[in-house]
Amino acid sequence: MLTFLESASPSVSAAVVGAMATVLVGVGGALYTQAQIKKREIEEAHRERKVDLYKGFLDMVARMMSEQNENVSLEPPSQQ
């Protein structure tokens, strides 16, 4: 390949190098975009589980805090 570029005219060599660079940047951009999409999909798949976990945690904290307060109608967490 390099011997072809060396023996070709400078304008042809420049065109070939430019085309190769364009293809490489395009493929790199596409791979990067696909990686970002996959990362976003994984985060979205875990989102529901995280929301449930955080809700449970906050509910437990609220019940523990209300255990000593008679003005709050929440039931304290069960002792296990």
Side-chain angles (χ1 to χ4, degrees):
M1 179 81 172
L2 290 177
T3 56
F4 166 74
L5 289 176
E6 290 173 359
S7 63
S9 69
S11 62
V12 172
S13 298
V16 169
V17 170
M20 288 173 49
T22 301
V23 168
L24 288 175
V25 169
V27 169
L31 291 175
Y32 178 77
T33 301
Q34 290 297 321
Q36 292 299 318
I37 290 171
K38 184 171 184 150
K39 182 180 175 184
R40 190 177 314 126
E41 287 174 353
I42 290 170
E43 289 173 355
E44 282 296 318
H46 291 132
R47 179 172 163 65
E48 287 298 320
R49 173 111 168 93
K50 286 180 182 180
V51 167
D52 291 339
L53 188 72
Y54 289 140
K55 281 183 180 178
F57 172 74
L58 291 175
D59 184 49
M60 182 182 69
V61 169
R63 289 183 190 279
M64 289 176 71
M65 290 176 65
S66 69
E67 185 176 39
Q68 301 297 321
N69 190 341
E70 295 121 17
N71 297 328
V72 178
S73 64
L74 293 175
E75 296 177 17
S78 61
Q79 300 293 329
Q80 293 182 2

